Amino acid sequence: MPRRGENIRKRKDGRWEGRYIKNYDIYGKAKYASVYGKSYLEVKQKLITASSSIDADTDIHKNKSLLFREVLFLWLENNRIKLKPSTYSKYCRIIEKHLVPVVRNTPISTVFL
């Protein structure tokens, strides 16, 4: 039975693990989830049910309607805690003064895809 391309492997502890793409973040990077079982066929069946329960139109399709400037400000807000106030202020000024006038209403799908 070929196991290529199914993303199923046997772990050191004897269990089988199958990985599937659960969703995508705002940057289009895949987020994986795992299912476990005692046999290969059990994991294969769990993968089929788990991946079929995921809606085909996940976050990546919803985010295609985002504009590039919106992603810039989302990134800025998500990293606000990590940044010093002066750095946050500088990044905000750079985005508003230099990046937004250039990208304006460019959809994110044309930038990354």
Side-chain angles (χ1 to χ4, degrees), residues 79-97:
N79 290 308
R80 186 176 199 154
I81 297 171
K82 300 175 193 173
L83 301 172
K84 292 180 9 184
S86 60
T87 305
Y88 175 80
S89 172
K90 180 180 177 182
Y91 286 174
C92 192
R93 195 170 46 252
I94 289 171
I95 288 173
E96 290 173 352
K97 187 173 182 180

Side-chain angles (χ1 to χ4, degrees), residues 64-81:
K64 285 185 178 180
S65 63
L66 279 176
L67 299 177
F68 189 65
R69 63 185 160 90
E70 293 172 344
V71 173
L72 289 172
F73 287 112
L74 283 173
W75 176 85
L76 190 62
E77 286 302 315
N78 286 338
N79 290 308
R80 186 176 199 154
I81 297 171

Side-chain angles (χ1 to χ4, degrees), residues 2-51:
R3 292 188 209 115
R4 297 181 68 173
E6 294 179 340
N7 219 359
I8 299 174
R9 67 182 186 98
K10 190 167 187 175
R11 296 168 41 105
K12 287 183 180 179
D13 62 2
R15 294 183 298 166
W16 288 85
E17 175 188 16
R19 294 184 61 185
Y20 64 97
I21 297 174
K22 187 174 183 180
N23 58 17
Y24 295 89
D25 64 4
I26 63 169
Y27 304 108
K29 185 176 179 184
K31 297 293 181 182
Y32 288 90
S34 297
V35 293
Y36 301 95
K38 293 182 180 181
S39 70
Y40 176 82
L41 292 175
E42 181 183 353
V43 171
K44 189 172 184 178
Q45 184 61 37
K46 285 182 179 181
L47 274 179
I48 291 170
T49 57
S51 60

